[in-house]
Amino acid sequence: MSLKEQLAEYRAGWFKRVPAERQAVMERHINEIRNGLAKTVLKAGDRAPPIVLTDAKGAIVDIKSLLSRGPVIVTFYRGGWCPYCNLELRAFQQILPEIKAVGAALVAISPEKPDDTLSTAEKNALDFEVLSDVGQKVGRAFGLVYTFSDELKWAYREFGLDIPGKNGADEWALPISATYVIRQDGTIAYAYTDADYRDRAEPAAVLRALKDAVAAV
């Protein structure tokens, strides 16, 4: 089953479980992002900002060192509490051998604390870097981070989610869904960004873009 099909299946169940009022809040929030932030995110052809972050075990990872060996796929996810994110991370894990076969690397970035990123990596049996962007400096450099409205805070609290607590930062903010292929020269070869957190880049499409970027060198 493709990632798109898995996401659609989970989404269908979500619509059955979640009260209509909360669904309406989420839909309004998605439309607001589409009309604002989604127009400012980094796109293909832009230069990727520096990425120097802490991994799940507390070590510092500089993407520049990974780029010295080959292109890098960077995917931003909301957190290990997000079922859509976990489906996406597991789907990327499945194509990791093909990513490595062309000399590339894969990293996933969330605003969660390192302890939580470690839990996410272990829970999903991930063999790629899972990095912690506490304070979302990198997410903001890519133009991906949005701040919650009061009604969105209410909706997340109804879901039992304390986003500032999860992220170890005194703010209600998250990145939109985004996946990039970054060439060795630091330019973005492929960009997938979506205001709807329930939609994600299909790993097969990302892999094709990666192979195209490698072939173009």
Side-chain angles (χ1 to χ4, degrees), residues 65-211:
S65 66
L66 297 178
L67 288 171
S68 70
R69 301 193 289 272
V72 178
I73 297 171
V74 177
T75 189
F76 289 84
Y77 71 100
R78 303 193 300 162
W81 49 266
C82 168
Y84 301 96
C85 299
N86 290 312
L87 288 170
E88 176 189 33
L89 293 172
R90 289 195 292 270
F92 273 114
Q93 175 64 34
Q94 290 180 345
I95 65 165
L96 186 59
E98 294 173 87
I99 293 170
K100 290 182 174 180
V102 297
L106 167 65
V107 301
I109 298 173
S110 88
E112 287 193 303
K113 303 185 296 294
D115 282 353
D116 288 321
T117 58
L118 178 59
S119 297
T120 299
E122 291 176 343
K123 174 176 64 179
N124 294 300
L126 306 179
D127 293 322
F128 53 86
E129 293 282 11
V130 183
L131 306 182
S132 181
D133 185 22
V134 173
Q136 304 194 75
K137 182 178 179 181
V138 172
R140 286 189 167 89
F142 276 84
L144 303 173
V145 180
Y146 61 89
T147 301
F148 283 38
S149 64
D150 286 341
E151 72 167 3
L152 191 60
K153 291 178 187 177
W154 167 82
Y156 273 68
R157 287 190 180 109
E158 290 295 301
F159 284 117
L161 291 167
D162 172 13
I163 297 304
K166 288 282 186 187
N167 294 350
D170 188 23
E171 63 173 1
W172 284 81
L174 287 174
I176 65 169
S177 307
T179 300
Y180 294 93
V181 174
I182 303 176
R183 300 185 184 94
Q184 284 189 268
D185 66 1
T187 58
I188 296 171
Y190 167 93
Y192 177 97
T193 57
D194 200 319
D196 192 338
Y197 63 91
R198 299 164 301 193
D199 292 327
R200 306 297 169 106
E202 189 63 50
V206 179
L207 189 60
R208 285 195 298 272
L210 172 66
K211 291 179 177 178

Side-chain angles (χ1 to χ4, degrees), residues 26-92:
M26 304 303 281
E27 294 299 331
R28 281 197 294 273
H29 132 74
I30 289 167
N31 289 330
E32 286 168 6
I33 296 175
R34 280 209 181 99
N35 293 328
L37 181 72
K39 298 176 182 177
T40 66
V41 298
L42 293 189
K43 302 173 178 65
D46 291 336
R47 180 162 291 278
I51 302 174
V52 182
L53 294 171
T54 304
D55 71 11
K57 296 180 180 177
I60 299 297
V61 175
D62 188 340
I63 298 300
K64 189 185 296 184
S65 66
L66 297 178
L67 288 171
S68 70
R69 301 193 289 272
V72 178
I73 297 171
V74 177
T75 189
F76 289 84
Y77 71 100
R78 303 193 300 162
W81 49 266
C82 168
Y84 301 96
C85 299
N86 290 312
L87 288 170
E88 176 189 33
L89 293 172
R90 289 195 292 270
F92 273 114

